């Protein structure tokens, strides 16, 4: 059994697993095979002892989720679209990251503040009711957003991969071999899920923003932005604490809303999705120099760089063949008389 607590993230037709010193990603390519890649996390600040201190480690995980995770999410979308010859450059990826972060802060933190301020300004001089209304609006926006995007067929597939990620982590933590049959018996919900983290963050925001109270508009807006890292750091530690004491009835009750929300963000995966999650986990273990559990499936896979190079070569050859063929065969309308002839 691995000595480190592994986490993950669903991608488009893929899964990202985060280990001690590296992340591993695995995708189902447009051609049907499984491709993988790893990225080190043990260099620079990531590899320092400071990055693993309580409260600091929560910010590191937040960075990895927002920046590294979103970058791989965009990369997975680019890979899924590569069959049509679509490829996203670094500039496009950076722009999407910036827009996503700004939109998230505006929608989930600033919009609830504006709504709560406008609706309680005449009746709540101390800001206590405003904080409660702001929190309720934030919860409603969060749940509404999840329900809305869950209607998309593509997002439902991402949620299936999310379930496969959780089930694979359950199997690893139980000491089972990483096979489709062993993973299949576990639930799609997990007590350290990022969805549960967001639920904890929303609950904490109600408490912390109530301490700020009603202030001039610029201070209230600034507090919502400045306190995001603080809330994330505290929320991560509470999530870890809750995972360690899950058997406690009080802790279980407090964390239960996070499990309920995962009924929206996870779905039962297909076997081929579980295979991708298993490959991602196996590559994360190997990158950390951990042993893959005995009896694991060992599905066929290919490094992502090699798969992309091969696909580009095949695509270029196909375009060359298509271009050379277009000059030797007449178009269907080539022999038709022009209009008015």
């Amino acid at each position: 059994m691995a000595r480190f607590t592994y986490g993950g993230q669903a991608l488009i037709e893929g899964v990202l697993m985060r280990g001690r010193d590296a992340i591993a990603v695995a995708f189902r390519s447009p051609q049907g095979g499984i491709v993988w890649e790893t990225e080190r996390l043990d260099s620079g600040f990531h590899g320092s002892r400071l990055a693993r201190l309580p409260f600091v480690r929560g910010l590191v995980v937040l960075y990895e989720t927002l920046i590294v995770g979103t970058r791989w999410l965009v990369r997975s979308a680019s890979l899924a679209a590569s069959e049509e010859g679509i490829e996203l450059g670094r500039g496009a990826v950076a722009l999407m990251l910036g827009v996503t972060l700004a939109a998230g802060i505006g929608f989930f933190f600033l919009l609830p503040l504006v709504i709560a301020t406008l609706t309680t300004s005449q009746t709540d001089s101390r800001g206590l009711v405003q904080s409660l209304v702001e929190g309720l609006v934030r919860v409603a926006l969060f749940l509404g957003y999840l329900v809305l995007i869950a209607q998309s067929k593509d997002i439902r597939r991402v949620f299936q991969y999310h379930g496969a990620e959780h089930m694979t982590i359950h199997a690893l933590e139980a000491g089972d071999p990483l096979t489709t049959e062993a993973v299949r018996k576990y639930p799609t919900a997990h007590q350290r899920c990022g969805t549960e983290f967001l639920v904890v963050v929303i609950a904490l925001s109600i408490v912390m923003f109530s301490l700020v109270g009603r202030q001039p508009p610029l201070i209230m807006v600034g507090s919502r932005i400045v306190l995001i890292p603080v809330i994330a750091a505290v929320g991560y530690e509470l999530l870890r604490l809750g995972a360690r004491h899950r058997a406690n009835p009080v802790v279980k009750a407090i964390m239960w809303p996070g499990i309920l929300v995962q009924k929206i963000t996870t779905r039962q995966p297909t076997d081929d999705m579980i295979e991708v999650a298993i490959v991602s986990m196996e590559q994360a273990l190997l990158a950390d120099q951990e042993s893959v559990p005995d009896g694991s499936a060992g599905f066929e896979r290919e490094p992502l760089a090699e798969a992309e190079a091969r696909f580009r070569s095949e695509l270029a050859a196909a375009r060359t063949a298509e271009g050379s063929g277009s000059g030797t065969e007449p178009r269907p309308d080539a022999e038709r008389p022009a209009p008015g002839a």
Side-chain angles (χ1 to χ4, degrees), residues 38-304:
T38 58
E39 179 178 329
R40 302 302 302 180
L41 295 176
D42 54 355
S43 61
F45 182 73
H46 282 266
S48 67
R49 292 184 178 181
L50 179 62
R52 297 178 185 179
L53 291 176
F55 300 104
V56 177
R57 60 193 175 191
L59 297 179
V60 173
V61 172
L62 180 63
Y63 166 82
E64 291 168 356
T65 301
L66 291 178
I67 306 301
V68 179
T70 304
R71 173 160 49 79
W72 276 109
L73 182 64
V74 174
R75 180 82 179 274
S76 68
S78 180
L79 177 67
S82 63
E83 195 171 23
E84 285 76 37
I86 301 172
E87 190 168 349
L88 298 175
R90 290 185 178 181
V93 172
L95 178 61
M96 291 179 69
L97 287 174
V99 171
T100 300
L101 183 59
I105 293 175
F107 187 74
F108 291 112
F109 284 90
L110 300 186
L111 180 59
L113 171 62
V114 172
I115 294 175
T117 300
L118 294 176
T119 56
T120 64
S121 59
Q122 302 300 320
T123 60
D124 182 33
S125 60
R126 298 180 61 185
L128 296 179
V129 176
Q130 172 191 300
S131 298
L132 180 60
V133 171
E134 181 183 349
L136 293 175
V137 171
R138 187 170 292 113
V139 170
L141 289 176
F142 177 60
L143 294 177
Y145 170 76
L146 292 179
V147 171
L148 180 63
I149 64 173
Q151 306 310 307
S152 164
K153 180 181 178 180
D154 291 336
I155 297 300
R156 283 199 298 271
R157 287 188 63 82
V158 173
F159 288 171
Q160 285 180 283
Y161 276 105
H162 192 194
E165 169 229 321
H166 286 175
M167 294 161 73
T168 303
I169 294 173
H170 276 304
L172 178 74
E173 292 173 341
D176 285 348
L178 299 179
T179 64
T180 305
E181 295 76 15
V183 169
R184 173 63 71 186
K185 66 184 180 182
Y186 289 100
T188 60
H190 195 281
Q191 62 270 24
R192 293 193 315 277
C193 174
T195 303
E196 191 159 331
F197 170 70
L198 292 176
V199 172
V200 172
V201 164
I202 290 174
L204 279 175
S205 70
I206 296 175
V207 176
M208 289 195 174
F209 295 156
S210 67
L211 298 177
V212 176
R214 186 179 292 279
Q215 303 290 339
L218 285 179
I219 294 180
M220 286 197 295
V221 170
S223 68
R224 270 53 178 180
I225 297 174
V226 171
L227 286 177
I228 289 176
V230 178
I231 293 172
V234 175
Y236 182 76
E237 298 303 321
L238 290 177
L239 193 65
R240 286 175 61 96
L241 182 66
R244 288 198 302 268
H245 301 282
R246 202 66 175 204
N248 185 298
V250 176
V251 174
K252 189 174 182 179
I254 292 174
M255 296 297 184
W256 185 244
I259 296 294
L260 292 179
V261 175
Q262 289 183 61
K263 293 183 179 296
I264 303 174
T265 63
T266 62
R267 295 285 191 274
Q268 277 293 331
T270 59
D271 285 352
D272 62 324
M273 293 175 176
I274 293 176
E275 292 173 6
V276 172
I278 289 174
V279 169
S280 182
M281 177 60 79
E282 288 178 343
Q283 294 301 148
L285 289 168
L286 293 173
D288 281 345
Q289 298 183 337
E290 295 278 357
S291 299
V292 174
D294 292 337
S296 296
F299 297 109
E300 186 176 349
R301 67 203 69 179
E302 181 181 15
L304 177 59

